[in-house]
Amino acid sequence: MAMNTYQLSLNRIWRILLTLMLLSLWTLPARAQSPITATVDRTSISTDDFVNLTVVVSSQALSTPSPDLPPLDGFDIVGTSTSTQISMVGTTITSEGRYQFRLRPTKSGTLTIPAISVTLDGQTYSTDPITIEVTAGSASAATPSTPKNAAPAPDSLHGQDFFVEASIDNDTPFVGEQIVYTFRFYQGINLMDQPRYDAPGFTGFLNQRQPEQTQYTTQSAGRTYRVTELHTILFPTTAGENTIEPAVLTIPGGFFSSGEILSTDPINVTVKELPPNAPADFTGAVGDFTIEASLNSTETKVNEPVTLNVTISGEGNLEALPDPIWADLPNWRAFESKATTNTRFQDGRLVGTRIYERLLVPTVAGNTTIPAISYTYFDPVVGTYRTLKTAPIPVHVAPASATPPVPTVPGNGKQAVSVVATDIRHIKAVPTTLRIGRAP
């Protein structure tokens, strides 16, 4: 009997200990969620297709740091977009940066998007690598055709195995005017390995390389050459005489050759000052643009917000485009936001849109008008300043509800607000490796 009582006591003790262990496991703090994630819209494509990479960075601050995008071996970045969503609940602020990259594979096989990292509060966080299976598309085997605007073979190409040259489409641009730098590699024989391309420093220019490579064939001195072109968009930053340094191409050696180093000639550029007597509201935009404005609703109530969208479209350095000069709105509260910039290359030029969102909260009932928004820019083609204006937008503001919500920041009836913004200024370095096909 005493033994049974002893065993029961031991069993009771073990049950208590087991319960305490389970409770301690249940109360362990949850593992903190990583502030950075990376996803793709698909993991199996061909070389004819594209894959969209989305990187999201979260932070309890008004802004998020940009992620550190590693070199993407086997991919070209052909499009980018960035937005930031800021939310406030009570006194807690959360921001989420969304960075989107449109990728085109440059080869088939199993490709990997390496880990992408971000540093927050002195600590570095990284995503997991992403594997993409790429098959050869129908375009990969096609023979490159000669584009209509291809440059004729240079006179200095007179039968060499390899030759390089560089040119620009305008050697007397205005400050801020878009010009195109083109590097060409003429290949008369096949290579054992990919050559290394070292671009000029482009001192005195903002620069952005067009990810697309153009390949075609041309004839010179009785030989057929495969031509590979790289295009870089340049925006001169200061007036005066400038020189684009030589580009260098290093061709690796093979079993029977020691390799070769080729360089282009330097290019002299005379950058012109913008004309004097610019309009008072000119803030530095250079290019060719249009502007439009819209309101998500022209019927609202006092203290109920509406969203004003202003879109500037056209050709120029959209990523560094100055903001419009906003009109005074005495009967409105305005909440600023940054701009969303989307750029692409079209016919060898950098074009796109810059979209502004402003949250407007009316404070007085009645019929009112959002004034016209003007935007002045310099058109380098005709050499004059131009001013654009949006149409005024009439708005009817009804009195506030009997028990209106009074959020600290305007929202949708809750004490929360989401504002879309962006911080993209994607100036990307030129590649160190050319993708070269087989010589004819």
Side-chain angles (χ1 to χ4, degrees), residues 7-26:
Q7 290 176 343
L8 289 173
S9 298
L10 285 178
N11 290 337
R12 182 176 299 172
I13 292 172
W14 279 113
R15 285 198 298 270
I16 293 173
L17 290 174
L18 181 60
T19 300
L20 291 174
M21 291 173 62
L22 291 174
L23 287 174
S24 66
L25 290 174
W26 290 339

Side-chain angles (χ1 to χ4, degrees), residues 75-320:
F75 292 100
D76 273 342
I77 300 176
V78 297
T80 60
S81 178
T82 302
S83 64
T84 302
Q85 179 173 309
I86 303 173
S87 301
M88 175 181 287
V89 179
T91 59
T92 301
I93 297 175
T94 302
S95 62
E96 180 182 276
R98 183 173 295 269
Y99 304 83
Q100 294 182 316
F101 305 90
R102 185 170 175 83
L103 308 180
R104 187 192 70 176
T106 60
K107 59 184 178 181
S108 58
T110 301
L111 306 183
T112 300
I113 298 175
I116 302 168
S117 61
V118 70
T119 300
L120 282 170
D121 299 327
Q123 185 172 352
T124 300
Y125 303 87
S126 298
T127 66
D128 293 328
I130 301 174
T131 300
I132 308 291
E133 295 294 335
V134 181
T135 58
S138 59
S140 60
T143 300
S145 59
T146 303
K148 294 180 180 179
N149 58 347
D155 294 337
S156 48
L157 179 62
H158 44 73
Q160 309 97 308
D161 290 339
F162 305 111
F163 182 79
V164 295
E165 68 169 355
S167 64
I168 55 176
D169 64 342
N170 181 5
D171 60 2
T172 57
F174 287 98
V175 171
E177 181 180 358
Q178 178 177 173
I179 62 175
V180 181
Y181 172 89
T182 301
F183 171 86
R184 297 183 188 87
F185 171 46
Y186 296 83
Q187 175 192 358
I189 61 175
N190 292 325
L191 295 173
M192 296 295 294
D193 201 356
Q194 295 293 325
R196 176 182 175 83
Y197 170 57
D198 292 311
F202 296 122
T203 303
F205 298 89
L206 296 177
N207 65 89
Q208 183 170 345
R209 184 186 69 85
Q210 181 176 347
E212 301 283 347
Q213 288 189 12
T214 303
Q215 291 190 337
Y216 56 92
T217 59
T218 190
Q219 302 290 323
S220 178
R223 299 186 67 175
T224 300
Y225 287 88
R226 176 181 290 267
V227 185
T228 301
E229 288 187 356
L230 293 178
H231 305 281
T232 304
I233 303 297
L234 304 179
F235 298 97
T237 58
T238 55
E241 298 296 328
N242 204 335
T243 300
I244 299 175
E245 305 92 336
V248 177
L249 188 72
T250 303
I251 299 174
F255 291 111
F256 304 104
S257 64
S258 57
E260 193 172 350
I261 298 177
L262 305 173
S263 60
T264 64
D265 293 330
I267 300 175
N268 295 321
V269 186
T270 302
V271 183
K272 299 179 291 187
E273 290 274 11
L274 298 183
N277 303 320
D281 60 350
F282 174 70
T283 55
V286 178
D288 183 18
F289 305 105
T290 61
I291 188 171
E292 61 180 354
S294 63
L295 210 60
N296 68 327
S297 176
T298 57
E299 299 280 340
T300 186
K301 296 180 180 180
V302 171
N303 291 329
E304 289 191 3
V306 293
T307 301
L308 174 65
N309 291 290
V310 177
T311 302
I312 299 176
S313 306
E315 176 183 309
N317 191 3
L318 289 145
E319 295 167 353

